[in-house]
Amino acid sequence: MGRWSGVSLLFHQISKSLHTTPLKPFFFPSTYSTISTHFFNPRTFSALPSRVSIDTHDFDSGSPYLGQTYGFEAKEGEDIGKIPIKAYFLSTSINLKSMQAANLSNVIPATSRSSNYIALRYGDIPSKATGFGVERNPCCSRYMVVFQYGSAVLFNIEDHEVENYLELVRRHASGLLLEMRKDDYTVKEKPQMVEDMEGGADYIALKTLDTDGVRIIGSVLGQSIALDYFVSQVDGMVQEFADINRGMEKTGTFTMDKKKLLQLVGKANSNLADVILKVGIFERSEIAWRDAKYAQIHEYLWEEYEVTQRFGNLDFKLKFIEVFEFLIVGAFLAFICCGMHFIICIR
């Protein structure tokens, strides 16, 4: 056989083999497959350590998840995300209408008729595709619930970012405090939990955290930090009245300025009204009324922060101040009446 005849026969055999042998399908590596599955199965609210991520702009409370990691599945009982929460009491009043108008693109539509707060959502970082697949940048969503009485509760906002968000609130606040009050809390997401929630030391674990969950947790933390402020105010008044009492005991005379006394009396009377009416300490959340899951979260946090007991202590101190006020004002008026009677007698 000649050289070219041999080469021709070889190519003929190769061609025949290619036509008769089926090609095997090509599979991507399992890691890329996992990432692709999660990327094309978006969820509403997802959390990684110290991050919360959201894949859509659907704010409906029925949207399922605030927690899912990428590239691995959570084991039973394992928390897949920790969401830091920071509560601040920074002023005595916040204009919610002007704040909402200035942040329309961030406002989450309300799911209840309550008008003493607004919930806002900030910051998305989109995913991007590369030549090797999908590079996942979690949509780092941050949440802020702002209350008319002066509290702001921040979800998934790092310490170095806090001041920027509080500045957004200060622009619409009046009666700014010289020293803010602050509290920290944490939500852990455990999708494999049997129950909807479970409590722990300075945290609450949930299957998922949706926007109504943000509202419920924000409402209790906002009320708690506001109550802390009013308790400190009443403690200051109790101390002031105690000083007055000690002075009267030593000197036998009442030397306090009349105007200052009346201001102190008015301040004591207004504190209880502020806690009940402005803070709405006894108003049950409409969200909690509608769904037992949120009612359970509300009840747990209410007990965790001992709101009922702390309000009871505040009420007791205010009643003590009222009695003291009555005695002092009565003595003050009696002193004035005696003085006027003495002047009349002289004339």
Side-chain angles (χ1 to χ4, degrees):
M1 180 184 298
R3 179 184 303 171
W4 295 110
S5 299
V7 171
S8 176
L9 180 60
L10 178 61
F11 274 106
H12 177 73
Q13 292 295 329
I14 292 173
S15 176
K16 182 179 179 182
S17 175
L18 288 174
H19 282 290
T20 57
T21 305
L23 293 174
K24 293 184 179 180
F26 175 74
F27 291 99
F28 289 102
S30 59
T31 303
Y32 174 75
S33 177
T34 304
I35 295 174
S36 301
T37 302
H38 287 297
F39 178 71
F40 293 108
N41 184 23
R43 301 196 177 207
T44 305
F45 203 169
S46 128
L48 298 173
S50 296
R51 290 278 186 240
V52 178
S53 88
I54 294 229
D55 293 305
T56 82
H57 291 274
D58 181 10
F59 297 112
D60 185 8
S61 61
S63 300
Y65 290 103
L66 208 160
Q68 179 178 345
T69 53
Y70 294 88
F72 65 90
E73 297 295 331
K75 297 177 182 178
E76 186 174 354
E78 181 181 6
D79 53 299
I80 63 171
K82 294 181 181 179
I83 304 162
I85 307 172
K86 300 174 178 65
Y88 296 88
F89 189 78
L90 65 157
S91 74
T92 55
S93 180
I94 298 171
N95 189 328
L96 297 182
K97 287 185 178 179
S98 66
M99 185 166 185
Q100 180 166 328
N103 297 269
L104 276 178
S105 61
N106 304 105
V107 174
I108 302 175
T111 58
S112 69
R113 291 169 293 181
S114 179
S115 59
N116 78 328
Y117 76 91
I118 56 173
L120 305 106
R121 171 181 178 269
Y122 294 93
D124 282 352
I125 302 173
S127 304
K128 62 181 180 180
T130 69
F132 299 99
V134 177
E135 182 179 320
R136 179 72 183 178
N137 287 327
C139 296
C140 301
S141 294
R142 300 160 177 85
Y143 286 78
M144 183 163 64
V145 188
V146 183
F147 297 87
Q148 184 273 333
Y149 54 78
S151 290
V153 184
L154 283 55
F155 289 74
N156 195 45
I157 294 175
E158 304 287 352
D159 290 338
H160 67 277
E161 301 173 308
V162 165
E163 192 56 33
N164 294 332
Y165 288 90
L166 292 183
E167 187 57 34
L168 295 174
V169 180
R170 290 193 189 99
R171 295 172 189 171
H172 309 277
S174 57
L176 289 170
L177 306 182
L178 295 176
E179 185 177 351
M180 290 189 303
R181 307 195 79 85
K182 179 193 173 186
D183 195 15
D184 293 290
Y185 201 62
T186 301
V187 171
K188 294 183 179 181
E189 289 189 302
K190 298 182 178 181
Q192 306 301 321
M193 279 171 41
V194 176
E195 304 294 333
D196 287 323
M197 59 142 287
E198 64 182 30
D202 294 324
Y203 76 88
I204 185 172
L206 305 175
K207 277 187 174 182
T208 58
L209 179 60
D210 55 21
T211 52
D212 274 348
V214 167
R215 292 182 178 100
I216 285 290
I217 295 171
S219 69
V220 178
L221 268 63
Q223 289 176 332
S224 175
I225 198 68
L227 183 58
D228 190 43
Y229 166 77
F230 286 110
V231 167
S232 70
Q233 293 293 297
V234 172
D235 286 343
M237 285 186 281
V238 169
Q239 184 61 46
E240 197 163 352
F241 275 111
D243 292 341
I244 295 169
N245 190 47
R246 279 191 291 268
M248 291 175 63
E249 183 181 3
K250 289 180 180 179
T251 63
T253 60
F254 181 75
T255 58
M256 188 176 189
D257 180 70
K258 176 185 174 183
K259 182 179 179 181
K260 186 175 181 181
L261 174 62
L262 293 176
Q263 286 176 336
L264 195 58
V265 170
K267 185 178 180 180
N269 292 335
S270 65
N271 265 274
L272 188 61
D274 284 343
V275 174
I276 295 175
L277 299 177
K278 288 177 65 177
V279 179
I281 205 75
F282 292 120
E283 292 181 11
R284 185 71 180 274
S285 168
E286 187 178 328
I287 297 170
W289 277 113
R290 287 200 311 257
D291 194 319
K293 175 178 67 175
Y294 300 115
Q296 186 182 9
I297 296 172
H298 186 278
E299 183 178 351
Y300 172 78
L301 291 174
W302 195 261
E303 291 296 326
E304 176 78 1
Y305 278 90
E306 299 180 337
V307 178
T308 302
Q309 296 91 319
R310 289 161 60 202
F311 178 80
N313 292 336
L314 175 69
D315 189 37
F316 174 79
K317 291 173 183 177
L318 286 171
K319 281 183 170 57
F320 167 77
I321 291 173
E322 284 177 9
V323 173
F324 199 64
E325 285 171 355
F326 176 78
L327 294 175
I328 291 178
V329 172
F332 183 71
L333 293 174
F335 176 77
I336 293 175
C337 289
C338 288
M340 291 178 66
H341 180 71
F342 177 73
I343 292 171
I344 293 171
C345 289
I346 292 176
R347 288 180 179 179

